[in-house]
Amino acid sequence: MYSPKYNQEKDWDTIAGFIRQNSFALLVSVQNGLPEGTHLPVELEEKTPGRGDFVLRGHIANVNPQSRSFTSGQTFMAVFMDPHAYISSSWYAKEKIPTWNYIAVHVYGQLRILDEAELLQSLTRLMERYEAASAQPVKITDIGEKELHNNLKAITGFELSIDRVDTRFKLSQNRNDQDYFSVADHLHASGDDHSRRIAGEMEKRRARK
């Protein structure tokens, strides 16, 4: 991913927080010379607490043709993206070229297939995270043994190593203060959730200086 230095985020805690907040990823690989991708939940996990040995874990349906590439030994890419917002050039003092602000993280690594116990553990954590806000949270133990077994046999769990991370936090860092805060103010006023989130990220970064 092309990313000028002023758009690159180097702080791992910031990157990890973004991945966790926007964990519905696009998993990309190559098969028969063609790229293929699947949109699926991918969770960032630390294998040993406090060690910093982070990996990405998820699962895919066995009927998905992309699952056949899981034993290829190739490098996979997981794409995390959100939010994004159009930037009108009318918000600048002089220039008239519009653009788009966005945040994207690309993670590259080797894929390892999880065994059934690891897959069950991964699914348990996934359900616990997303059921927590439910008025009547469902636990994996609520699923009948036969139904759970059949579903486990229909999917493949995977773990993706984090060998390289590319980031682009495109947040008007190349603008002067007048234009920068004009963009942030207009985004806040838009009423759009994506725009407000981009504005919030912009304000956090200028507040650091």
Side-chain angles (χ1 to χ4, degrees), residues 27-29 42 47 54-58 69-78 107-114 157-165:
L27 183 69
V28 180
S29 58
V42 178
K47 297 178 72 172
F54 290 95
V55 294
L56 298 173
R57 284 185 177 147
S69 66
F70 278 21
T71 57
S72 64
Q74 67 180 276
T75 296
F76 282 71
M77 177 174 69
V107 176
Y108 303 83
Q110 298 294 309
L111 187 143
R112 180 180 71 85
I113 294 176
L114 302 180
F158 64 86
E159 176 182 284
L160 190 68
S161 61
I162 300 179
D163 301 335
R164 171 182 152 197
V165 179

Side-chain angles (χ1 to χ4, degrees), residues 1 7 38 94 102 107 115 124 181:
M1 173 172 57
N7 288 153
T38 300
K94 293 181 180 180
Y102 63 90
V107 176
D115 62 33
T124 299
F181 289 110

Side-chain angles (χ1 to χ4, degrees), residues 179-196:
D179 286 349
Y180 190 94
F181 289 110
S182 174
V183 168
D185 288 344
H186 279 89
L187 290 173
H188 267 307
S190 71
D192 173 74
D193 179 62
H194 278 257
S195 298
R196 289 195 300 269

Side-chain angles (χ1 to χ4, degrees), residues 31 36 38 60-70:
Q31 192 157 245
E36 56 186 354
T38 300
I60 193 171
N62 293 338
V63 295
N64 187 325
Q66 190 178 13
S67 66
R68 293 196 291 269
S69 66
F70 278 21

Side-chain angles (χ1 to χ4, degrees), residues 16 28 39 48 77 101 110 148 152 170 173 180:
V28 180
H39 299 268
T48 309
M77 177 174 69
N101 278 5
Q110 298 294 309
L148 178 60
L152 288 174
K170 187 175 181 294
Q173 292 99 323
Y180 190 94

Side-chain angles (χ1 to χ4, degrees), residues 45 57-59 114 117-127 158:
E45 297 185 8
R57 284 185 177 147
H59 63 275
L114 302 180
E118 291 173 317
L119 173 58
L120 182 60
Q121 184 182 55
S122 177
L123 293 174
T124 299
R125 284 197 289 259
L126 187 69
M127 286 185 66
F158 64 86

Side-chain angles (χ1 to χ4, degrees), residues 96-209:
K96 296 302 178 185
I97 305 298
T99 188
W100 213 279
N101 278 5
Y102 63 90
I103 302 176
V105 172
H106 293 184
V107 176
Y108 303 83
Q110 298 294 309
L111 187 143
R112 180 180 71 85
I113 294 176
L114 302 180
D115 62 33
E116 187 171 292
E118 291 173 317
L119 173 58
L120 182 60
Q121 184 182 55
S122 177
L123 293 174
T124 299
R125 284 197 289 259
L126 187 69
M127 286 185 66
E128 287 175 348
R129 175 182 175 184
Y130 289 100
E131 289 285 344
S134 175
Q136 295 180 311
V138 178
K139 298 179 180 179
I140 201 162
T141 51
D142 295 329
I143 303 173
E145 184 177 345
K146 183 177 180 180
E147 183 180 7
L148 178 60
H149 176 77
N150 290 339
N151 277 272
L152 288 174
K153 292 301 182 184
I155 60 177
T156 295
F158 64 86
E159 176 182 284
L160 190 68
S161 61
I162 300 179
D163 301 335
R164 171 182 152 197
V165 179
D166 289 344
T167 63
R168 188 162 192 187
F169 283 56
K170 187 175 181 294
L171 300 167
S172 299
Q173 292 99 323
N174 59 328
R175 310 303 308 185
N176 60 44
D177 282 351
Q178 181 181 355
D179 286 349
Y180 190 94
F181 289 110
S182 174
V183 168
D185 288 344
H186 279 89
L187 290 173
H188 267 307
S190 71
D192 173 74
D193 179 62
H194 278 257
S195 298
R196 289 195 300 269
R197 288 169 61 193
I198 287 290
E201 291 292 336
M202 291 175 64
E203 290 169 346
K204 282 195 298 185
R205 276 157 180 75
R206 277 297 161 102
R208 295 177 187 170
K209 295 185 176 182

